[in-house]
Amino acid sequence: MVYFAEKNWITSSQAAHELGLSKSRVLALRESGDLIATSVGGRSLLFDAASVWSFKQYARKSARPYSPRIAMATLYLLSGQSAPWINRQEQYRLHKRLETVDAPTLVWQTRRRAQLHEYWVRDAFLEQVASELRISAASGELAENFELVPTSVIEGYASVEQAKLLVERLRMKEGASPAKVRLRTAAYWPEGEGPMPVAVRAVDLAESLNPRERRAGEQRLVDLLAGYKN
């Protein structure tokens, strides 16, 4: 992985090289939501290196990614929380799937739970950003739960409308370096307050480019699935 160790964003040509695909196929994966990209200068695209790495590592021909609604419900159920936005039949099917799925496949199946955006923001606003998001991964005090060292990057979730207002109000700049906020948005948004459920946090870490974070997230998913099956 020549590019991933040094960059959060890579070009379409670099993404195509890493995946062994044509540029047109890489662009199609961006349109389907399987790869994350941001427009630079209104013309060129930069691809999120973590989403490229995740696609390369976790793609399973036999396991289709879930819709955002089902993906989030799956992670809520695995966390021991209710998912009232799905019906009983859907809940039953997810219970059965969670009894047999492995951690890498689960990461792949839930990859469409939200859209990831990375922003630069003034340091003076970081505390405010954290207070307005449902924090996730190993942000702040959550790092201790995964035996990780806290980082300066804020990672969390918000609705599409909440994120739009926050970005405009604090003049956050997408794609600018260094990235200080990893913000995930979803058109479908389950109600709740406080940090995201533990399985959501674990999947976020499992998609990280940082090896320690990735291992911590994957191991927590293994533990959660083992407890669920018992």
Side-chain angles (χ1 to χ4, degrees), residues 66-67 69-70 73-74 77 86-101 109 228:
Y66 293 144
S67 68
R69 186 175 70 91
I70 296 299
T74 300
L77 293 176
I86 60 173
N87 60 43
R88 290 184 179 181
Q89 186 177 17
E90 290 172 323
Q91 183 168 314
Y92 176 79
R93 287 200 298 264
L94 289 180
H95 278 307
K96 289 298 182 181
R97 291 171 185 171
L98 284 170
E99 290 176 353
T100 59
V101 72
Q109 289 178 317
Y228 196 89

Side-chain angles (χ1 to χ4, degrees), residues 106-148:
L106 182 65
V107 174
W108 170 253
Q109 289 178 317
T110 58
R111 62 182 286 104
R112 293 180 179 172
R113 62 196 177 279
Q115 288 290 321
L116 174 63
H117 307 268
E118 292 191 341
Y119 295 96
W120 172 91
V121 67
R122 294 181 183 275
D123 289 342
F125 294 146
L126 285 175
E127 186 174 342
Q128 184 175 350
V129 171
S131 69
E132 296 191 32
L133 300 182
R134 291 195 65 186
I135 59 173
S136 188
S139 295
E141 61 186 21
L142 297 182
E144 185 177 352
N145 297 333
F146 291 89
E147 298 183 356
L148 294 170

Side-chain angles (χ1 to χ4, degrees), residues 138-176:
S139 295
E141 61 186 21
L142 297 182
E144 185 177 352
N145 297 333
F146 291 89
E147 298 183 356
L148 294 170
V149 177
T151 68
S152 59
V153 177
I154 303 295
E155 185 160 353
Y157 285 71
S159 69
V160 174
E161 184 60 29
Q162 288 172 331
K164 180 181 178 181
L165 293 174
L166 185 64
V167 169
E168 291 178 350
R169 179 158 41 89
L170 301 184
R171 298 183 180 181
M172 299 165 62
K173 297 180 180 179
E174 186 169 10

